[in-house]
Amino acid sequence: MSKKIDLNGIFPPIPTPFYKEEVAYDRLALNVEKWSKTGLAGFVIFGSNGEYPYLARPEKLQTVKTVAQTAPKTMTLIAGTGCESTRETIELTNAAADQGAHAALIVTPHYFGDKMTSTALVRHYTTVADRVSIPVLLYNVPKFTHINLPAEVVAELSRHPNIAGIKDSSGNVAQLGEYLNQAAKNFQVLVGMGSALFSALTLGCSGGVLALANIAPAACVSIYNLVRAGDFAPARDLQLKMIPVNKAVTGTYGIAGLKAAMDWLGYFGGDPRPPLLPATEKEKAEIKEILIKAGLL
Amino acid sequence: MSKKIDLNGIFPPIPTPFYKEEVAYDRLALNVEKWSKTGLAGFVIFGSNGEYPYLARPEKLQTVKTVAQTAPKTMTLIAGTGCESTRETIELTNAAADQGAHAALIVTPHYFGDKMTSTALVRHYTTVADRVSIPVLLYNVPKFTHINLPAEVVAELSRHPNIAGIKDSSGNVAQLGEYLNQAAKNFQVLVGMGSALFSALTLGCSGGVLALANIAPAACVSIYNLVRAGDFAPARDLQLKMIPVNKAVTGTYGIAGLKAAMDWLGYFGGDPRPPLLPATEKEKAEIKEILIKAGLL
Amino acid sequence: MSKKIDLNGIFPPIPTPFYKEEVAYDRLALNVEKWSKTGLAGFVIFGSNGEYPYLARPEKLQTVKTVAQTAPKTMTLIAGTGCESTRETIELTNAAADQGAHAALIVTPHYFGDKMTSTALVRHYTTVADRVSIPVLLYNVPKFTHINLPAEVVAELSRHPNIAGIKDSSGNVAQLGEYLNQAAKNFQVLVGMGSALFSALTLGCSGGVLALANIAPAACVSIYNLVRAGDFAPARDLQLKMIPVNKAVTGTYGIAGLKAAMDWLGYFGGDPRPPLLPATEKEKAEIKEILIKAGLL
Amino acid sequence: MSKKIDLNGIFPPIPTPFYKEEVAYDRLALNVEKWSKTGLAGFVIFGSNGEYPYLARPEKLQTVKTVAQTAPKTMTLIAGTGCESTRETIELTNAAADQGAHAALIVTPHYFGDKMTSTALVRHYTTVADRVSIPVLLYNVPKFTHINLPAEVVAELSRHPNIAGIKDSSGNVAQLGEYLNQAAKNFQVLVGMGSALFSALTLGCSGGVLALANIAPAACVSIYNLVRAGDFAPARDLQLKMIPVNKAVTGTYGIAGLKAAMDWLGYFGGDPRPPLLPATEKEKAEIKEILIKAGLL
């Protein structure tokens, strides 16, 4: 249980492909093979874009296994294994580790949101980190959870030997700055919003977990490499060019839009699981236009 | 699949008792026996107060089975079986029916809240109601889900032969009125907030699913009976007397407080499952005072 | 400074009529004359429906004067004189009193909402009540202010000799119950949402300040009188019938819709002041349909 | 009416000093003199930190006049003159221009927030910009107004010849990117959150309107100059160092805290106007510690 894991670089939170509502493991493998040639540092399996709340436990484990068997050994596999209860989170995390996950992304429990006080969150994450066999990443995604991980909580948890970093999807750079300021030196902060990648990297973040990286991995990797090389102007220009794409596949059209974009770009996207609605033909056409305009298609 | 189910009366959304974090089925049975002598119309297993997001599937089914084997045959058993995905909701509902549930309470899917449009919600509930063996109740609880079921959606769904009613915990009487106005005649509206029981009943609701009914079943049943008898003044006085108790065990102290109150009143409450924190000794003492003041202890 | 003011009954928060963006005092007088024959207890000048944030100080005072000169002496005139600063609130309240206002409706200051703590609100209202020549009503309208007056604050303020009551537009009956429970005996609670009138009255409220009363004064007064007479069933039926109308003129179409409804019903409504948009012809036709369906036209 | 105004650089939204609740124009002048020697590009009079909702019209104009008479002619004076109504906004803006304001900062009208549609906002800003004698800046501050200016609205308004730029205090860098992407070329985007200055500048913003610049003008100007010179690393380090200070004087302690910090640093801060509470002695001591830690004291 040490923080040996390296979270530098770009990680796509990969969508789960379905065929007739069943997980299409074969197509997942094809997607992973294709992504593996783009310079990505690893994969996040079951970020929000993986529709994790819609998958049963055996499906989750089979998905982790599929990616682990397909991805190059050099890539880092992070599995989203956060559940509402502390005990189920521990159990699922260890099971995912057995299938090949190198680290676990643990979303804040949130159903009883007004009771998820700093004390409750510290206890939850500490108990989980104490009892799992792989490093833990905190996952702050207020858009979906309606709670926010305060910098003080992150600072305290960053001292735990088995808590390696955080994925923050709030889009709030002031808060990213607080995380960077207050956390332990070896704690790694990943930004979870494609439109904030450039800003987060210039501020000192290690990398990004970006829906955008599923459909524009090369662009995201370029932004990362340019900033690392100190070449800010082209990085910024590329970032600005990617903002409309990112907005389309995260905000406006959501996961259905992200999957439609993948279909346009030669990946297998398909439809999300119900109750999520598939993209309409009109929406698919709009997404195509956006991809063309951004030079991705 | 007809709406033969009768939802008149008072239903407590029963807490799930834990002993060393394991479900204490024996104590659950003792609680159910005790509640059964108080005039309640039935039980809601796995409303929010049942900590349903914290239980594994086998635990949920064993809990339903335990209540079904313990409760008098005259009482109506409603199981909370809503999951984020449509398919898992159907599967769990039918499994709960096999264990003895008479109806299913289906919470609005909410993780991808901004995509839970009226169209998505109508499709979800219609698909579920089409494919399950017991009547469905909609469950609107914006406090936890951060989405609200609009009256238009409820009106449309109320025409489905297998959708029998709704539990609305929004506390918004204007919306209760809209539901009553727009829904099909045989659709039954249950209020889900103890402090709004009197108002909801006078407005025409069938009954209530009330955390308060776990600790003050006699008072809730009295309010129900008094309003039904047209005896409004004492019903209102009793309602006003119960408001501070209800606030304590729903808002201020939450489920931990509800369980502490049960312990004071001779039921088995115990601690909630982590990450929920147990009530502190100080909080337990405050809850005791509130119960004494309300004449419950 | 005693609580001699009687707040029983129905009060419309009257819209301010404009002609070419100027206040049309003559038409206001005609409206007041017409409303005065319907059994209303008084008028609220500059509730939110009076577009108070859009009027200059001299316009506000001239409006109060116009109503005071037109309304029968038996009717109670309440002027909305709350400003963001404590000092300006005091000054405007006393000036409105000089023009004939009998009481003042003081909205919660809200621009710096996160700093409007209980301590700040108690100090604000106490200072105002100490220094104005007419009784004060608190005004809680979270829809517009994004802050809520907690029951504890209301309870404390209700003991002040010059704070006579509250208008609560939250639509939350549980909170109305808390106000009634915790406030001083002679403190009068008015509901500020037409769809909650029946529930509020049965719970023990003194009356209502209702946008709906501008266009359906007779129905609102009937609900009031029926509840007072203990005749609940017809009161409830009338309430349910009014809910769609109320929703139209408060939520869906807002003030522009309320004014359009007034125009249909023989009052002078006209357009709101910019930046509020006027109702479109299509919206006006929809409002007409709603009025016809409710038997108001 | 052309966009001749230059918004590059750092602008503090200056607090309004009060002595015994009256505006202390003499101390304001002393503050302005002191700030004028720090490299700031100009002043924003009546941003939110100016407590503008608490000032009467004559006070606002006298304040503008005082700053105009005191500040060097090379500095740009921007007056916050947004009111809820379109007409009052126009009137106040022109009056402020007569007192020496070079540009106007116009907050989104927000009381009737759900009616402030894109259409309403475009009409409001267009009407204002058409009829005022100085260039207009849009002002987006969701924290206080609870509405957000969408990129589409900003893009459309940016084409107006008399709308020169925007101050965006949302802290959302993705949205800043959208503004920069979609707006007209000569439209100037200013960030309104001190902790986001570095990120905003690297992304292409013209400058910042920062509460932080009232107490750390040299640091803010340094960040600006370093980024302009392409010297990113020290700019970032300085930014990270300023984040705790900024959090204290905007979030935690608010305007009272900002004024207390000014008092520690040799400016005249004083107390805010009621209903805002002054900082307690304990808070003042905490603020002192934060200033010392950041090397400002």
Side-chain angles (χ1 to χ4, degrees):
Chain A
M1 296 208 307
S2 70
K3 297 193 189 180
K4 296 271 169 54
I5 198 154
D6 178 358
L7 299 172
N8 286 288
I10 303 297
F11 300 79
I14 59 175
T16 306
F18 299 108
Y19 182 72
K20 297 188 177 178
E21 293 197 27
E22 300 299 328
V23 181
Y25 300 104
D26 53 343
R27 311 206 176 187
L28 172 62
L30 291 172
N31 283 345
V32 168
E33 282 176 20
K34 194 165 173 188
W35 280 315
S36 299
K37 297 165 190 156
T38 57
L40 296 165
F43 296 104
V44 168
I45 310 153
F46 302 126
S48 297
N49 285 289
E51 297 175 56
Y52 79 85
Y54 294 169
L55 271 82
R57 191 181 176 286
E59 293 175 321
K60 286 186 181 176
L61 295 179
Q62 185 63 30
T63 299
V64 172
K65 189 177 176 182
T66 302
V67 178
Q69 290 176 338
T70 313
K73 297 303 158 207
T74 51
M75 294 181 76
T76 301
L77 307 187
I78 304 166
T81 54
C83 302
E84 280 290 322
S85 79
T86 306
R87 57 193 274 138
E88 201 173 346
T89 301
I90 294 166
E91 200 278 330
L92 183 61
T93 302
N94 284 326
D98 290 345
Q99 300 300 327
H102 303 129
L105 182 69
I106 309 288
V107 70
T108 50
H110 51 271
Y111 189 77
F112 301 109
D114 61 329
K115 299 304 175 202
M116 291 301 102
T117 58
S118 294
T119 307
L121 290 167
V122 167
R123 188 181 71 158
H124 174 72
Y125 278 112
T126 302
T127 308
V128 170
D130 282 347
R131 301 193 193 167
V132 297
S133 55
I134 48 176
V136 165
L137 275 80
L138 314 177
Y139 181 17
N140 188 42
V141 59
K143 179 187 171 181
F144 295 132
T145 63
H146 305 276
I147 66 171
N148 182 54
L149 269 178
E152 291 70 27
V153 170
V154 173
E156 180 172 349
L157 292 171
S158 74
R159 267 88 197 166
H160 191 288
N162 200 33
I163 298 181
I166 186 170
K167 171 188 177 187
D168 176 54
S169 301
S170 71
N172 181 338
V173 284
Q175 182 163 276
L176 282 180
E178 291 181 53
Y179 290 169
L180 290 165
N181 264 347
Q182 298 183 33
K185 284 295 158 219
N186 62 348
F187 187 76
Q188 300 169 81
V189 179
L190 296 166
V191 67
M193 182 186 273
S195 298
L197 175 61
F198 168 75
S199 298
L201 292 173
T202 54
L203 207 58
C205 287
S206 309
V209 179
L210 314 167
L212 181 67
N214 286 296
I215 55 170
C220 294
V221 171
S222 285
I223 293 171
Y224 177 83
N225 289 334
L226 287 164
V227 173
R228 282 286 174 271
D231 210 358
F232 283 57
R236 185 197 58 205
D237 292 349
L238 196 47
Q239 172 70 81
L240 288 173
K241 203 169 156 188
M242 287 301 122
I243 285 178
V245 184
N246 187 64
K247 190 180 190 180
V249 299
T250 57
T252 318
Y253 305 105
I255 292 173
L258 177 61
K259 289 186 155 184
M262 287 176 63
D263 280 325
W264 285 120
L265 291 164
Y267 292 88
F268 179 80
D271 288 341
R273 247 186 195 172
L276 281 182
L277 297 171
T280 62
E281 291 309 310
K282 184 171 164 293
E283 289 170 341
K284 287 178 185 175
E286 290 164 1
I287 290 161
K288 188 182 181 184
E289 279 312 302
I290 291 166
L291 295 174
I292 290 170
K293 215 171 195 172
L296 294 172
L297 191 64
Chain B
M1 295 208 308
S2 70
K3 297 192 190 180
K4 294 272 169 57
I5 198 154
D6 179 357
L7 298 173
N8 286 288
I10 302 299
F11 299 79
I14 60 176
T16 305
F18 299 107
Y19 181 73
K20 297 187 177 178
E21 291 196 31
E22 299 298 328
V23 182
Y25 300 104
D26 52 343
R27 312 208 175 184
L28 172 63
L30 291 172
N31 284 345
V32 167
E33 281 176 20
K34 193 165 173 188
W35 279 317
S36 298
K37 296 167 190 157
T38 58
L40 296 165
F43 296 105
V44 168
I45 311 153
F46 301 126
S48 298
N49 286 289
E51 296 175 57
Y52 79 85
Y54 294 168
L55 272 81
R57 193 182 173 284
E59 293 176 320
K60 286 186 180 175
L61 296 178
Q62 186 63 31
T63 300
V64 172
K65 189 177 178 183
T66 302
V67 177
Q69 289 177 338
T70 313
K73 297 302 159 207
T74 50
M75 293 182 77
T76 300
L77 306 187
I78 304 167
T81 54
C83 303
E84 280 291 322
S85 79
T86 306
R87 57 193 276 141
E88 200 173 348
T89 301
I90 294 166
E91 201 277 332
L92 182 62
T93 303
N94 284 326
D98 291 345
Q99 300 301 328
H102 302 128
L105 182 70
I106 310 288
V107 71
T108 50
H110 51 271
Y111 189 76
F112 301 110
D114 61 328
K115 298 305 175 201
M116 291 300 102
T117 58
S118 294
T119 306
L121 290 167
V122 166
R123 189 181 72 158
H124 174 72
Y125 279 112
T126 303
T127 307
V128 170
D130 282 348
R131 300 193 192 168
V132 297
S133 55
I134 48 175
V136 164
L137 275 81
L138 315 176
Y139 181 18
N140 188 44
V141 58
K143 179 187 172 181
F144 295 132
T145 63
H146 304 276
I147 66 170
N148 181 54
L149 270 179
E152 291 70 27
V153 170
V154 172
E156 181 172 348
L157 292 171
S158 74
R159 267 86 197 168
H160 191 288
N162 200 33
I163 298 180
I166 186 171
K167 170 187 176 186
D168 176 56
S169 300
S170 71
N172 180 338
V173 287
Q175 182 163 276
L176 282 178
E178 290 180 54
Y179 289 169
L180 290 165
N181 265 348
Q182 298 182 34
K185 284 296 157 215
N186 62 350
F187 187 77
Q188 299 168 83
V189 179
L190 295 166
V191 67
M193 184 186 273
S195 297
L197 175 61
F198 169 75
S199 297
L201 293 173
T202 55
L203 206 60
C205 287
S206 308
V209 179
L210 314 166
L212 181 66
N214 286 297
I215 53 169
C220 294
V221 171
S222 284
I223 292 171
Y224 178 83
N225 289 333
L226 286 164
V227 173
R228 282 286 174 271
D231 212 358
F232 284 58
R236 185 196 59 205
D237 292 349
L238 196 47
Q239 172 71 80
L240 289 173
K241 203 169 154 188
M242 287 301 122
I243 285 178
V245 184
N246 187 66
K247 191 179 190 179
V249 298
T250 58
T252 318
Y253 306 105
I255 292 173
L258 177 60
K259 289 187 154 183
M262 287 177 63
D263 280 325
W264 286 120
L265 292 163
Y267 292 87
F268 179 80
D271 288 341
R273 248 188 194 169
L276 281 182
L277 297 172
T280 62
E281 292 309 310
K282 183 169 166 293
E283 290 170 339
K284 287 178 184 175
E286 289 165 0
I287 290 162
K288 188 182 181 184
E289 279 312 300
I290 291 166
L291 295 175
I292 290 171
K293 216 172 195 172
L296 293 172
L297 191 64
Chain C
M1 296 211 307
S2 70
K3 297 193 189 179
K4 294 271 169 56
I5 199 155
D6 178 358
L7 299 172
N8 287 287
I10 303 298
F11 300 78
I14 60 176
T16 306
F18 299 107
Y19 182 73
K20 297 187 176 178
E21 293 197 28
E22 299 298 328
V23 182
Y25 300 103
D26 52 342
R27 311 208 177 185
L28 171 63
L30 291 172
N31 284 344
V32 168
E33 282 175 19
K34 195 167 171 187
W35 280 316
S36 299
K37 297 165 190 158
T38 59
L40 295 165
F43 297 105
V44 169
I45 310 153
F46 301 126
S48 298
N49 286 289
E51 296 174 57
Y52 78 86
Y54 294 169
L55 272 82
R57 191 181 175 286
E59 293 175 321
K60 287 185 179 176
L61 296 178
Q62 185 63 30
T63 300
V64 172
K65 189 178 178 183
T66 302
V67 177
Q69 290 176 337
T70 313
K73 298 301 160 210
T74 52
M75 294 181 76
T76 300
L77 307 186
I78 304 165
T81 55
C83 302
E84 280 290 323
S85 79
T86 306
R87 57 194 274 139
E88 200 173 348
T89 301
I90 294 166
E91 200 278 332
L92 182 61
T93 302
N94 284 326
D98 291 344
Q99 300 300 327
H102 303 128
L105 181 70
I106 309 289
V107 70
T108 50
H110 50 271
Y111 188 77
F112 301 109
D114 61 329
K115 299 304 175 203
M116 290 301 103
T117 57
S118 294
T119 307
L121 290 167
V122 166
R123 188 182 71 158
H124 174 71
Y125 279 112
T126 303
T127 308
V128 170
D130 282 347
R131 301 194 192 167
V132 297
S133 56
I134 48 175
V136 164
L137 275 80
L138 315 176
Y139 181 18
N140 188 43
V141 59
K143 179 187 171 180
F144 295 132
T145 62
H146 304 276
I147 67 170
N148 181 54
L149 269 178
E152 292 70 28
V153 170
V154 173
E156 180 172 349
L157 292 171
S158 74
R159 267 87 197 168
H160 190 287
N162 200 32
I163 298 181
I166 186 171
K167 171 188 177 186
D168 176 55
S169 300
S170 71
N172 181 338
V173 286
Q175 182 162 276
L176 281 179
E178 291 180 53
Y179 290 168
L180 291 164
N181 264 348
Q182 298 182 34
K185 285 294 158 217
N186 62 349
F187 187 76
Q188 300 168 82
V189 179
L190 295 166
V191 67
M193 183 186 273
S195 297
L197 175 61
F198 169 75
S199 298
L201 293 172
T202 55
L203 206 60
C205 288
S206 309
V209 179
L210 314 166
L212 181 66
N214 285 298
I215 55 170
C220 294
V221 170
S222 285
I223 292 170
Y224 177 83
N225 289 334
L226 286 164
V227 173
R228 282 285 173 273
D231 211 358
F232 284 59
R236 184 196 60 206
D237 293 349
L238 196 47
Q239 172 71 82
L240 289 173
K241 203 169 154 188
M242 287 302 121
I243 285 177
V245 184
N246 187 65
K247 190 180 190 178
V249 299
T250 57
T252 319
Y253 306 104
I255 292 172
L258 177 61
K259 289 187 155 183
M262 287 177 63
D263 280 325
W264 285 120
L265 291 163
Y267 292 87
F268 179 80
D271 289 341
R273 247 186 195 172
L276 282 181
L277 298 171
T280 63
E281 292 309 310
K282 183 169 165 295
E283 289 171 339
K284 287 178 183 174
E286 290 165 1
I287 290 161
K288 188 182 182 185
E289 280 311 302
I290 291 165
L291 295 175
I292 291 171
K293 215 171 194 173
L296 293 173
L297 191 65
Chain D
M1 295 208 309
S2 71
K3 298 192 188 179
K4 296 271 169 55
I5 198 153
D6 179 357
L7 300 172
N8 286 287
I10 303 297
F11 300 80
I14 59 175
T16 306
F18 299 108
Y19 182 73
K20 298 189 176 176
E21 293 197 26
E22 300 299 327
V23 182
Y25 300 104
D26 52 343
R27 310 207 176 186
L28 172 63
L30 291 173
N31 284 344
V32 167
E33 281 175 20
K34 191 163 175 190
W35 280 315
S36 298
K37 297 165 190 158
T38 59
L40 297 165
F43 296 105
V44 169
I45 311 153
F46 303 126
S48 298
N49 286 290
E51 298 175 56
Y52 79 86
Y54 295 168
L55 271 81
R57 190 182 176 286
E59 292 175 321
K60 287 185 181 175
L61 296 178
Q62 185 63 30
T63 300
V64 172
K65 189 177 176 182
T66 302
V67 177
Q69 290 177 338
T70 313
K73 296 303 159 208
T74 51
M75 293 181 76
T76 301
L77 307 187
I78 304 166
T81 54
C83 303
E84 280 290 323
S85 79
T86 306
R87 57 193 276 140
E88 200 173 346
T89 301
I90 294 165
E91 201 276 332
L92 181 62
T93 302
N94 285 326
D98 290 346
Q99 300 301 327
H102 303 129
L105 181 71
I106 310 287
V107 70
T108 50
H110 51 271
Y111 189 77
F112 300 109
D114 62 329
K115 299 304 174 202
M116 290 302 102
T117 58
S118 294
T119 307
L121 290 167
V122 167
R123 189 181 70 159
H124 174 71
Y125 278 112
T126 303
T127 308
V128 170
D130 282 347
R131 301 193 194 167
V132 297
S133 56
I134 48 176
V136 164
L137 275 81
L138 314 177
Y139 182 18
N140 188 42
V141 59
K143 179 187 173 182
F144 295 133
T145 63
H146 305 275
I147 66 171
N148 181 54
L149 269 179
E152 291 70 26
V153 170
V154 172
E156 181 172 348
L157 292 171
S158 73
R159 267 87 198 166
H160 191 289
N162 200 33
I163 298 182
I166 186 171
K167 171 187 176 187
D168 176 55
S169 301
S170 71
N172 181 338
V173 285
Q175 182 163 276
L176 282 179
E178 291 181 52
Y179 290 169
L180 290 165
N181 264 347
Q182 298 182 34
K185 285 294 158 218
N186 62 349
F187 187 76
Q188 300 170 81
V189 179
L190 296 167
V191 67
M193 182 185 273
S195 297
L197 175 61
F198 168 75
S199 298
L201 292 173
T202 55
L203 206 59
C205 287
S206 309
V209 179
L210 314 167
L212 181 66
N214 286 296
I215 54 170
C220 294
V221 171
S222 284
I223 293 171
Y224 177 84
N225 289 335
L226 287 164
V227 173
R228 282 285 174 272
D231 211 358
F232 284 59
R236 186 197 58 206
D237 293 348
L238 196 47
Q239 172 71 81
L240 288 173
K241 203 169 155 189
M242 287 301 123
I243 286 178
V245 184
N246 188 64
K247 191 180 190 179
V249 299
T250 58
T252 318
Y253 306 104
I255 292 172
L258 177 60
K259 289 186 155 184
M262 287 176 63
D263 280 324
W264 286 120
L265 292 163
Y267 292 88
F268 179 80
D271 290 339
R273 247 187 195 170
L276 281 181
L277 297 171
T280 62
E281 291 310 310
K282 183 170 166 292
E283 290 170 339
K284 286 178 185 175
E286 290 164 0
I287 290 161
K288 188 182 181 183
E289 279 312 301
I290 292 166
L291 295 175
I292 290 171
K293 215 172 194 171
L296 295 172
L297 191 64

